[in-house]
Amino acid sequence: MNTKSLHTRLKMALLLHSRESGFAMVIAVSLGLIMILVGLTMTMRSQGDQITASQQKATDQALAAAEKGVAYYQQFINANRMLSRYDDCGPTNPDRATQPAGTSCSNTTAVSWANAATVPLPRVNSACNPGTADPDAIADAASTIWQAVDSTDVTKGQFRLVSYRYKPDNKNPDPNDDLSYYPGKGTLIVEGRMANSTSNDEETKAKAKAITRLQVVIPVKRPDIENVPIPGVWLGGSSTEDPDATGKNPIAANLLVNNCSLELTDINIVGSNFSAQKTDLSMPTLPEMPTTGVINLGTISTDTTIPVTTGPNASRHRPITFMGQPNTYVYSVDGMTGSGNTTLSVTSPNNVVIFLNGNIDKNIFVDYCRDVNGNRVSNCNPMNFKIFGRGPVGSFICLNGNRYLEAFILAPNYTVGVAGGGGGGGVKGAVWTRSWSNPNSSTVEGDCASNTANVVVEQQGSWSSLIGLQPKYLKPTIDPITSWQRQSVNN
């Protein structure tokens, strides 16, 4: 073999071997770098997934905290249902949903939750019902600061009120008619989050930043009057005027009193179906006397029968539609005074209304449930005969203690009493007035201080007989939530 040729081949082999070694090194180094990048990527992705998972968990926990907040305010509104018609901060205040947590209500004069301690909320701050919130508690509820879901366990998170706004379906509610504000809708916005933290740990910071906002709509409906026991006696006077309500006079009726300091145990209720209660409700406003169709009887001092349906005066006694009731005879009377057995006979079963401008004394009998011949009418409903007392404070209705007046009496400024009562007398129906004349009352009228063992009021009738005469400030009905929206907020 040629020595030169062998040398050449050996040289070429060495050169080829040298080149392959360098290429392998490059490949090895490249693969190492790729593995490092893949490892870093996987590590970063794992950390990102962990943060994302923490954020999702925190968001879920924030949602749970917000739901707790919604439940809290639902319960608060339901316990203080008159609050449902008032905004948390007033309708003209800037939307606190756009303000930082803890922002104070800048509208300090509006009738609202936030101003409850300084601006009275009609019939919200109950003097008669200690179960309702006081003004300071209502103002505290209007705060937008964060509060703990559970003060003993910070891990359950926090919630805060963002805003509550009420909008009646009626675009122009009447301020003098509280029922015109119903029905309507209350929009409640609440936020929830995990407890705030100053930690630099990314997971903890993610939890602190996760805030969930919930907006719910709460339907506010008209009160259901059928759930309110109808009072046979309602006394709206103060404690000085009427320190012991009806006193020891027995009444077979539900009793309502606006004197919240009264001791109800001294009231003599007859019958297990009736009870005495303190109330923040107000008597209905006296209806306006019609401008036409009213018959003026002046002062009644002699035997009188109404309505007159036969004879030359029958044309004057024509019924009208009054308060939605057709065929109603409406009269204006300046006062009733008699001597002995003077009687006003009101024939039945007609709907009859008397607007009383003065007093009724004990010497006159008002007899509703008889016909023109003096015979008892079997289908008489006392609530179809209504007396609306329009006199000033100090006016009185003194009933004869020997006979019953069968009627519904609404006389907000009057004192009502029963003179004597040896034969049984008083009211069958209902009487809503300022005070009851009894020996301990400061408004005793003459010898009309009721002091008898006979039942002076026998309650009859139902709400269906008193259309348009519902009490004021009845609590609305709060229905379940009808709308639920979730909104994420990142601070």
Side-chain angles (χ1 to χ4, degrees), residues 165-422:
R165 295 291 176 90
Y166 178 69
K167 183 177 181 181
D169 292 348
N170 179 5
K171 294 182 180 179
N172 298 298
D174 181 358
N176 297 316
D177 178 10
D178 62 301
L179 291 179
S180 69
Y181 285 84
Y182 313 122
K185 297 179 181 63
T187 301
L188 172 69
I189 303 177
V190 176
E191 287 180 350
R193 71 174 185 184
M194 298 310 295
N196 203 359
S197 173
T198 57
S199 171
N200 291 323
D201 175 73
E202 291 298 324
E203 182 176 350
T204 303
K205 289 166 66 177
K207 289 182 178 180
K209 290 181 179 180
I211 297 176
T212 296
R213 175 175 291 182
L214 292 181
Q215 176 178 298
V216 299
V217 174
I218 303 173
V220 181
K221 300 294 186 65
R222 290 176 69 90
D224 185 356
I225 189 64
E226 295 301 327
N227 291 333
V228 180
I230 185 171
V233 178
W234 190 345
L235 304 176
S238 65
S239 58
T240 56
E241 293 173 320
D242 210 4
D244 56 2
T246 55
K248 298 301 181 180
N249 292 181
I251 59 170
N254 291 317
L255 173 71
L256 287 185
V257 292
N258 288 110
N259 172 16
C260 296
S261 62
L262 190 69
E263 290 295 334
L264 299 179
T265 54
D266 295 333
I267 297 171
N268 190 357
I269 302 290
V270 178
S272 59
N273 295 328
F274 303 116
S275 64
Q277 297 182 42
K278 302 173 185 180
T279 184
D280 287 298
L281 299 176
S282 290
M283 293 181 194
T285 304
L286 283 169
E288 293 289 334
M289 186 168 65
T291 56
T292 60
V294 179
I295 302 141
N296 189 351
L297 299 178
T299 298
I300 297 175
S301 57
T302 59
D303 289 348
T304 304
T305 298
I306 57 173
V308 176
T309 57
T310 61
N313 292 325
S315 60
R316 292 183 59 229
H317 296 249
R318 292 182 177 177
I320 62 173
T321 297
F322 177 68
M323 297 185 70
Q325 295 292 320
N327 300 318
T328 300
Y329 294 87
V330 182
Y331 297 90
S332 174
V333 175
D334 294 333
M336 301 185 197
T337 181
S339 58
N341 293 324
T342 303
T343 301
L344 169 64
S345 298
V346 184
T347 58
S348 305
N350 299 298
N351 292 323
V352 177
V353 170
I354 289 180
F355 284 93
L356 177 65
N357 302 309
N359 304 321
I360 299 177
D361 71 27
K362 66 175 182 177
N363 294 315
I364 190 166
F365 294 104
V366 182
D367 203 351
Y368 173 62
C369 290
R370 300 185 186 275
D371 61 21
V372 293
N373 298 316
N375 299 316
R376 181 75 183 178
V377 176
S378 60
N379 61 342
C380 169
N381 180 0
M383 305 299 273
N384 288 342
F385 176 34
K386 297 178 176 65
I387 298 176
F388 297 125
R390 305 172 72 202
V393 174
S395 301
F396 65 90
I397 296 175
C398 183
L399 304 175
N400 195 294
N402 293 317
R403 293 168 69 176
Y404 283 100
L405 165 60
E406 301 186 61
F408 167 76
I409 300 172
L410 174 59
N413 293 327
Y414 282 61
T415 296
V416 176
V418 178

